[in-house]
Amino acid sequence: MAPVSVWGMMATILFVAALALYVGAAGSMTASFAGARAVGSRTGILLAIGGTVLHGAGLAAFTAAHAELPLVGLAPSLCTLAFLTALFLVVTSITGESGPVGLVLVPLVALLLAIALLLGVEPAGQPLAFSGVWFSFHVLLAFVGFAGLAIAFGAGLLYLLQFRALKGKRLGRMYRAFPSLPVLDRLGRRGVAVGFAALTLALVLGWAWTIRFRGTLAAADPEVIWGVVTWFAFAAAVGVRIRSGADAGRRAALASVIGFAVVVAAYILLRVFVARGEVFL
C-alpha cells in the first residue's frame, strides 16, 4: 500500500488536472456558443466528462490518503460539491439536450475547485460530534441537494435568456445554440425535484441525530440556519412550479435563479458573521 503522502500528492495532481479540463470545457463551450457550432459543444462535454472522472479519482485518492471522506472543512466540501455538480451536469448532458447549461455550470464547477485548491484540500483536523455512516449520508444528501439547485439555477438562467430572446423576436445565435424552453424547464424541474428530496432527507437525518443525542434542534447552529434557508428556497421554487398558468415556466425559472442567489448570499453572510472559524461546510 502506498504511503499517505503519495496518495495526497496524487489527489492534488488529479484535482489540478481536473481543473484544467474544466477550464478547457468552459472555453470550448463558450467558443461553440460564439460561433454557433455544435462540435465545440460536444468537445466541451467530453472535456467536462474527463474532468469529472479525474475529479472523482482525486476524491478517492484524498480518502485513501486521510482515511476520511472529503466532507468536512471548507476546501474538501467545496471540492466535493463541485464534483457532484459536475456529475449531475454530465449525466443530464449525456441523457438529454442540456449541454449548453454547461455554459453556466462548468465555470461554476471550475471556480469551486479552484477555490478549494487555493485553500488547500486537507482534512479539517477538528473532532466532530456527529460522525460515522449517518453523518456521511447526511452530508452527501445535502450536497446532492445543493447540486440540484445549481442545475436548476443554470437551466433557469438559460430559460430566462431564451424567453427574452423569443419575446423580443431576436431569433439569432442564442436561439439556435440554447435548448428549447420545454427542455430547459424539464431540466430545472428535475434539478428542483431531486435536490429538494435529497435536502429534506439530509435535514431529517441531521435533526434526528441532534434530537436523539443532544435533546435539541440546534436552531442557532449556522449549518442548520443555512440548511433551513436552502430548504425554503427549494420550497418556494416547488411552490411556483405547482402553480399553473401561461407564464409558469418563466416564473419557475426566476424562482430557481433567485433561490440560488439567496442560498449563496446566506452562506457568505453566515460564514463571515456567524460561523467565526468553526467547521461549517
PDB file of all heavy atoms in Angstrom, residues 115-131:
ATOM      1  N   ILE A 115     -11.046  27.458  -5.899  1.00  0.00           N
ATOM      2  CA  ILE A 115     -11.030  27.985  -4.528  1.00  0.00           C
ATOM      3  C   ILE A 115     -10.559  26.913  -3.554  1.00  0.00           C
ATOM      4  O   ILE A 115      -9.753  27.169  -2.647  1.00  0.00           O
ATOM      5  CB  ILE A 115     -12.428  28.497  -4.134  1.00  0.00           C
ATOM      6  CG1 ILE A 115     -12.795  29.723  -4.957  1.00  0.00           C
ATOM      7  CG2 ILE A 115     -12.476  28.837  -2.644  1.00  0.00           C
ATOM      8  CD1 ILE A 115     -14.214  30.197  -4.754  1.00  0.00           C
ATOM      9  N   ALA A 116     -11.063  25.678  -3.745  1.00  0.00           N
ATOM     10  CA  ALA A 116     -10.654  24.576  -2.875  1.00  0.00           C
ATOM     11  C   ALA A 116      -9.149  24.341  -2.955  1.00  0.00           C
ATOM     12  O   ALA A 116      -8.477  24.144  -1.932  1.00  0.00           O
ATOM     13  CB  ALA A 116     -11.418  23.302  -3.262  1.00  0.00           C
ATOM     14  N   LEU A 117      -8.595  24.376  -4.167  1.00  0.00           N
ATOM     15  CA  LEU A 117      -7.154  24.164  -4.331  1.00  0.00           C
ATOM     16  C   LEU A 117      -6.351  25.301  -3.713  1.00  0.00           C
ATOM     17  O   LEU A 117      -5.293  25.069  -3.117  1.00  0.00           O
ATOM     18  CB  LEU A 117      -6.824  24.012  -5.819  1.00  0.00           C
ATOM     19  CG  LEU A 117      -7.236  22.685  -6.460  1.00  0.00           C
ATOM     20  CD1 LEU A 117      -7.078  22.743  -7.964  1.00  0.00           C
ATOM     21  CD2 LEU A 117      -6.420  21.534  -5.879  1.00  0.00           C
ATOM     22  N   LEU A 118      -6.827  26.512  -3.858  1.00  0.00           N
ATOM     23  CA  LEU A 118      -6.124  27.657  -3.270  1.00  0.00           C
ATOM     24  C   LEU A 118      -6.122  27.573  -1.740  1.00  0.00           C
ATOM     25  O   LEU A 118      -5.129  27.918  -1.087  1.00  0.00           O
ATOM     26  CB  LEU A 118      -6.781  28.962  -3.720  1.00  0.00           C
ATOM     27  CG  LEU A 118      -6.526  29.380  -5.174  1.00  0.00           C
ATOM     28  CD1 LEU A 118      -7.361  30.603  -5.526  1.00  0.00           C
ATOM     29  CD2 LEU A 118      -5.044  29.659  -5.403  1.00  0.00           C
ATOM     30  N   LEU A 119      -7.233  27.096  -1.180  1.00  0.00           N
ATOM     31  CA  LEU A 119      -7.316  26.952   0.275  1.00  0.00           C
ATOM     32  C   LEU A 119      -6.521  25.749   0.775  1.00  0.00           C
ATOM     33  O   LEU A 119      -6.071  25.726   1.922  1.00  0.00           O
ATOM     34  CB  LEU A 119      -8.779  26.815   0.706  1.00  0.00           C
ATOM     35  CG  LEU A 119      -9.671  28.051   0.485  1.00  0.00           C
ATOM     36  CD1 LEU A 119     -11.117  27.705   0.843  1.00  0.00           C
ATOM     37  CD2 LEU A 119      -9.192  29.220   1.336  1.00  0.00           C
ATOM     38  N   GLY A 120      -6.356  24.757  -0.109  1.00  0.00           N
ATOM     39  CA  GLY A 120      -5.660  23.534   0.277  1.00  0.00           C
ATOM     40  C   GLY A 120      -6.646  22.460   0.682  1.00  0.00           C
ATOM     41  O   GLY A 120      -7.296  22.592   1.718  1.00  0.00           O
ATOM     42  N   VAL A 121      -6.780  21.425  -0.136  1.00  0.00           N
ATOM     43  CA  VAL A 121      -7.741  20.357   0.151  1.00  0.00           C
ATOM     44  C   VAL A 121      -7.124  19.404   1.170  1.00  0.00           C
ATOM     45  O   VAL A 121      -6.479  18.418   0.828  1.00  0.00           O
ATOM     46  CB  VAL A 121      -8.132  19.605  -1.138  1.00  0.00           C
ATOM     47  CG1 VAL A 121      -9.255  18.602  -0.846  1.00  0.00           C
ATOM     48  CG2 VAL A 121      -8.576  20.585  -2.213  1.00  0.00           C
ATOM     49  N   GLU A 122      -7.302  19.740   2.431  1.00  0.00           N
ATOM     50  CA  GLU A 122      -6.762  18.961   3.543  1.00  0.00           C
ATOM     51  C   GLU A 122      -7.873  18.700   4.560  1.00  0.00           C
ATOM     52  O   GLU A 122      -8.861  19.434   4.603  1.00  0.00           O
ATOM     53  CB  GLU A 122      -5.620  19.716   4.229  1.00  0.00           C
ATOM     54  CG  GLU A 122      -4.430  20.005   3.329  1.00  0.00           C
ATOM     55  CD  GLU A 122      -3.665  18.747   2.944  1.00  0.00           C
ATOM     56  OE1 GLU A 122      -3.811  17.734   3.670  1.00  0.00           O
ATOM     57  OE2 GLU A 122      -2.924  18.783   1.949  1.00  0.00           O
ATOM     58  N   PRO A 123      -7.714  17.654   5.394  1.00  0.00           N
ATOM     59  CA  PRO A 123      -8.726  17.388   6.430  1.00  0.00           C
ATOM     60  C   PRO A 123      -8.886  18.579   7.362  1.00  0.00           C
ATOM     61  O   PRO A 123      -7.944  19.354   7.577  1.00  0.00           O
ATOM     62  CB  PRO A 123      -8.160  16.175   7.176  1.00  0.00           C
ATOM     63  CG  PRO A 123      -7.210  15.536   6.219  1.00  0.00           C
ATOM     64  CD  PRO A 123      -6.638  16.664   5.404  1.00  0.00           C
ATOM     65  N   ALA A 124     -10.088  18.753   7.901  1.00  0.00           N
ATOM     66  CA  ALA A 124     -10.358  19.890   8.783  1.00  0.00           C
ATOM     67  C   ALA A 124      -9.541  19.815  10.065  1.00  0.00           C
ATOM     68  O   ALA A 124      -9.192  20.833  10.656  1.00  0.00           O
ATOM     69  CB  ALA A 124     -11.846  19.951   9.118  1.00  0.00           C
ATOM     70  N   GLY A 125      -9.251  18.595  10.531  1.00  0.00           N
ATOM     71  CA  GLY A 125      -8.459  18.440  11.747  1.00  0.00           C
ATOM     72  C   GLY A 125      -9.204  18.777  13.018  1.00  0.00           C
ATOM     73  O   GLY A 125      -8.590  19.040  14.046  1.00  0.00           O
ATOM     74  N   GLN A 126     -10.553  18.795  12.952  1.00  0.00           N
ATOM     75  CA  GLN A 126     -11.349  19.091  14.138  1.00  0.00           C
ATOM     76  C   GLN A 126     -12.296  17.931  14.419  1.00  0.00           C
ATOM     77  O   GLN A 126     -12.920  17.406  13.506  1.00  0.00           O
ATOM     78  CB  GLN A 126     -12.170  20.381  13.933  1.00  0.00           C
ATOM     79  CG  GLN A 126     -11.323  21.605  13.703  1.00  0.00           C
ATOM     80  CD  GLN A 126     -12.177  22.861  13.592  1.00  0.00           C
ATOM     81  OE1 GLN A 126     -13.213  22.976  14.226  1.00  0.00           O
ATOM     82  NE2 GLN A 126     -11.725  23.811  12.792  1.00  0.00           N
ATOM     83  N   PRO A 127     -12.382  17.508  15.683  1.00  0.00           N
ATOM     84  CA  PRO A 127     -13.277  16.393  16.017  1.00  0.00           C
ATOM     85  C   PRO A 127     -14.737  16.793  15.830  1.00  0.00           C
ATOM     86  O   PRO A 127     -15.124  17.936  16.066  1.00  0.00           O
ATOM     87  CB  PRO A 127     -12.969  16.122  17.495  1.00  0.00           C
ATOM     88  CG  PRO A 127     -12.454  17.432  18.011  1.00  0.00           C
ATOM     89  CD  PRO A 127     -11.695  18.047  16.872  1.00  0.00           C
ATOM     90  N   LEU A 128     -15.551  15.847  15.379  1.00  0.00           N
ATOM     91  CA  LEU A 128     -16.969  16.093  15.152  1.00  0.00           C
ATOM     92  C   LEU A 128     -17.806  15.245  16.094  1.00  0.00           C
ATOM     93  O   LEU A 128     -17.519  14.064  16.310  1.00  0.00           O
ATOM     94  CB  LEU A 128     -17.348  15.752  13.704  1.00  0.00           C
ATOM     95  CG  LEU A 128     -16.652  16.561  12.598  1.00  0.00           C
ATOM     96  CD1 LEU A 128     -17.002  15.981  11.240  1.00  0.00           C
ATOM     97  CD2 LEU A 128     -17.055  18.015  12.671  1.00  0.00           C
ATOM     98  N   ALA A 129     -18.860  15.854  16.633  1.00  0.00           N
ATOM     99  CA  ALA A 129     -19.778  15.089  17.476  1.00  0.00           C
ATOM    100  C   ALA A 129     -20.603  14.147  16.622  1.00  0.00           C
ATOM    101  O   ALA A 129     -20.844  12.996  16.969  1.00  0.00           O
ATOM    102  CB  ALA A 129     -20.691  16.045  18.250  1.00  0.00           C
ATOM    103  N   PHE A 130     -21.049  14.642  15.488  1.00  0.00           N
ATOM    104  CA  PHE A 130     -21.866  13.858  14.565  1.00  0.00           C
ATOM    105  C   PHE A 130     -20.947  13.307  13.493  1.00  0.00           C
ATOM    106  O   PHE A 130     -20.425  14.033  12.663  1.00  0.00           O
ATOM    107  CB  PHE A 130     -22.933  14.761  13.953  1.00  0.00           C
ATOM    108  CG  PHE A 130     -23.909  14.056  13.038  1.00  0.00           C
ATOM    109  CD1 PHE A 130     -24.021  12.661  13.019  1.00  0.00           C
ATOM    110  CD2 PHE A 130     -24.721  14.777  12.198  1.00  0.00           C
ATOM    111  CE1 PHE A 130     -24.914  12.019  12.180  1.00  0.00           C
ATOM    112  CE2 PHE A 130     -25.636  14.153  11.354  1.00  0.00           C
ATOM    113  CZ  PHE A 130     -25.724  12.774  11.347  1.00  0.00           C
ATOM    114  N   SER A 131     -20.693  11.997  13.504  1.00  0.00           N
ATOM    115  CA  SER A 131     -19.780  11.397  12.544  1.00  0.00           C
ATOM    116  C   SER A 131     -20.256   9.996  12.204  1.00  0.00           C
ATOM    117  O   SER A 131     -21.288   9.546  12.679  1.00  0.00           O
ATOM    118  CB  SER A 131     -18.355  11.354  13.116  1.00  0.00           C
ATOM    119  OG  SER A 131     -18.326  10.624  14.328  1.00  0.00           O
TER     120      SER A 131
END
